Amino acid sequence: MPAEPDASPINQFSLSIDGEDLGLFTRCSGLALSVEVDEVVEGGVNESAIHLNTRIKYAPLVVTRAVRRNSKDLCQWVQKSVSEPSLSTGQIACLDQKGSELAKWELRDVMPVAWRGPSLDAAGGSIAMEEIEFVYGGFIRKA
């Protein structure tokens, strides 16, 4: 299948929570849902079972980026959000290499649950990365 004309090999992800821009991230994982299913076996019906949806589960959302000068602001925002917990709304947008929006998701009932700083190893030669993990109660594809 040929690539779409607007497909880009390099994407970034912008994240905002309650209208506050948290910046650009280079990796986003966990924008996913799965449905828990109960299997009901009906007496006398031997060829198949009935499957009933029970609940939707959302994977934790994890965004990652290189540490930058203002990374302390992000860490402080997470610390404040964890010490004064509340459910928020958020938006995550996938941007192409020119900064144009390719897709956007609105997140409901968002709450940060973890911040991870870089592994500090001067001999390793890798880029120092930070990440934030969120739980959320659902999403809607906006664009």
Side-chain angles (χ1 to χ4, degrees):
M1 232 165 107
E4 294 179 334
D6 63 351
S8 170
I10 301 172
N11 292 328
Q12 293 190 81
F13 307 92
S14 67
L15 176 65
S16 63
I17 304 293
D18 287 339
E20 185 173 346
D21 181 9
L22 298 182
L24 296 175
F25 295 82
T26 53
R27 189 177 319 142
C28 173
S29 63
L31 191 58
L33 66 86
S34 61
V35 177
E36 289 184 358
V37 177
D38 279 345
E39 185 175 83
V40 178
V41 180
E42 193 173 356
V45 179
N46 297 326
E47 56 271 355
S48 66
I50 298 170
H51 296 93
L52 302 173
N53 294 353
T54 59
R55 82 176 48 93
I56 299 172
K57 290 175 38 178
Y58 297 94
L61 181 74
V62 179
V63 291
T64 308
R65 70 177 180 191
V67 171
R68 29 189 89 164
R69 290 189 191 279
N70 65 349
S71 287
K72 68 176 175 52
D73 298 336
L74 185 64
C75 183
Q76 288 171 349
W77 177 86
V78 171
Q79 288 176 328
K80 181 181 178 192
S81 297
V82 170
S83 66
E84 302 169 11
S86 67
L87 296 177
S88 302
T89 58
Q91 287 190 336
I92 188 154
C94 179
L95 310 174
D96 66 15
Q97 63 192 55
K98 295 179 183 177
S100 299
E101 191 175 286
L102 297 173
K104 183 189 292 185
W105 294 266
E106 187 171 304
L107 307 168
R108 73 175 209 282
D109 299 338
V110 179
M111 186 173 62
V113 294
W115 176 87
R116 292 177 197 86
S119 296
L120 303 174
D121 180 5
S126 62
I127 296 172
M129 304 295 283
E130 67 179 340
E131 67 181 26
I132 307 174
E133 183 176 331
F134 297 90
V135 293
Y136 60 98
F139 61 87
I140 298 171
R141 173 81 187 262
K142 298 301 265 186

